Amino acid sequence: MNFDVVIEKTEKLAENIYFLRLRSERISAEAVPGQFVNIKCHDGLDAFLRRPISIMRANPAEKTFDIVYMVRGKGTRILSCLECGDTADCVGPLGRGFTLPEKGERICVIGGGIGVFPLLFLLERSKDVHKTAFLGFRTRDMIVLQKDFEKVSDRLVISTDDGSFGHKGLITNPFIEYLQTEKPDRVYTCGPLPMMKAVAEACIERNIFCEVSMEQRMGCGIGACLVCVCKVRHNDDFGYERICRDGPVFSAEKIIF
Amino acid sequence: MDLSVNIAGLKLKNPIIAASGTFGFGREFSEFFDLNLMGGISVKGLTLNPRKGNAPPRIAETPAGILNSVGLQNPGVHAFIRDEIPFLRRFDTAIIANIAGNTVDDYCRIAEILSDADIDAIELNVSCPNVKEGCLMFGSTAEGISKVTAAVRRVCKKTLIVKLSPNVTDITEMAKAAEDSGADSVSLINTLLGMAIDINTKKPILGNVMGGLSGPAVKPVAVRMVYQVSKTVKIPVIGMGGISGAEDAVEFLLAGASAVMIGTAGFVNPYVWVETVEGLKRYMERHGFEKVTELTGALLD
């Protein structure tokens, strides 16, 4: 499961947001929406842990997969210096992905910030369904891959915190408004915790199937070290489950936000 | 070439062991390599009853290391015996049960239960820095170590290893206390208590505020402590702390360790244990060692 992958394409999509296309026959063939790869940034000892990054697209015919990440610290800063032809040590695909919809269903995805990328993969792999995408960004300049999302959704709603594009304010507002008149079969969400919490609550209240993609600081990425846990319901009690192995996608009803 | 070691009755085909808390019960890493290639596995710390562990975040990356504050999340000793031993026994590798308790009585009950289970050794965890009660409370004084080791010794029918904490004034006193109270071996070091702060939120990164430091950053401290302890006690020493490959493992053996444990490095390189075994063979070949036991304490000082 541990292979060097070759970088085919790099692109800076927005401030601190980088795109990588990587070549791996196995990962591109096996990856499903919601999964991630765990990438080693370099061989040094500073920022030596792997960085878990969601898979945004997999193209088995081309033997490639795409990831998009935000530069947040030393590790991702080093990653952003990779160039075409370089290799990266990549473990994956890892984790449990989204439950794909059935033919003819109506689905919604609600993404915020860098949480939108795994949802693009989900939209691309959801065939013969009606798809509505709600995407929230901080500001106009941070809106990325709008055309890619337009191509794979029947309706795309965008909001920005500052109102510089689309709806002003949180993306949960137009989503909740949408739920006044519509009842989707499945809802999927990935992004900031308060956003996912609001989406989960709205769906649970209306008895709508909802899956959330969780995030936490990770250690091994394969389920052995028990550091990347989230709080979940266990009958009348609670417990901690591993985001890297039992998730990152969980049923919304299970999560204790 | 002979890589086998015998640690007070605990027979290992090679001296490379997975460190407790970094390897679960072996299931995840078995997807990467053949567990038959390892000397042994020290399983995730076990308590009498299941433990939930601490609130996340449970990890912070620091220069050449990590802080963790998992807090002994585990399914309890009974679930381990029922669900995990049968899986581990499919492999020809030693099973070391790492155990932790809040009271001396807890430790004794777990050791008693495990004495009748199909395991090869018990590692007494008196050095976990991430739980409020017990554990490090015993491991931070010689009296505490004596008390819990002597009590467990009376009920333990397996090879008894006491895992020592580096968070003490003089670790040789702790090792001596373990030896005098009936330990067959000591393993060291557990993690160093540390802390990391997010300067933007002005909050500790770890949910539990403080955590245990491991990884390459702690290696020189660990080598020094293994050196000191192996000079002090007659029982075999198992060394660990920041080992990332064969060169590091050899350092510990030369310093006096009979076997070594590797943990954190596996988060980055899931093959580190097997690669270390291979590298160790190459080192022995290059330096003319026939038996790995000849390396133990072969330091020229």
Side-chain angles (χ1 to χ4, degrees), chain A residues 1-2 40 45 47-51 91 216-220 222-227 229 237-238 240 242 245, chain B residues 22 24 28-29 31-32 44 52-59 61 63-66 70 73 205 216 267-268 270-271:
Chain A
M1 293 227 294
N2 190 14
K40 196 169 151 181
L45 287 180
F48 75 115
L49 283 180
R50 289 169 182 273
R51 268 44 183 175
V91 175
Q216 186 51 270
R217 288 170 186 268
M218 230 171 241
C220 68
I222 60 170
C225 76
L226 308 182
V227 307
V229 295
D237 198 5
F238 75 91
Y240 292 110
R242 303 164 297 182
R245 187 93 177 183
Chain B
T22 62
E28 294 79 15
F29 282 101
E31 295 170 6
F32 287 83
K44 175 68 193 170
K52 291 183 170 71
N54 292 328
R58 293 176 173 181
I59 188 168
E61 193 177 28
I66 56 166
V70 174
Q73 179 175 341
I205 292 178
F267 297 180
V268 183
Y271 302 105

Side-chain angles (χ1 to χ4, degrees), chain A residues 110 175 188 202:
Chain A
I110 299 92
F175 170 65
Y188 307 91

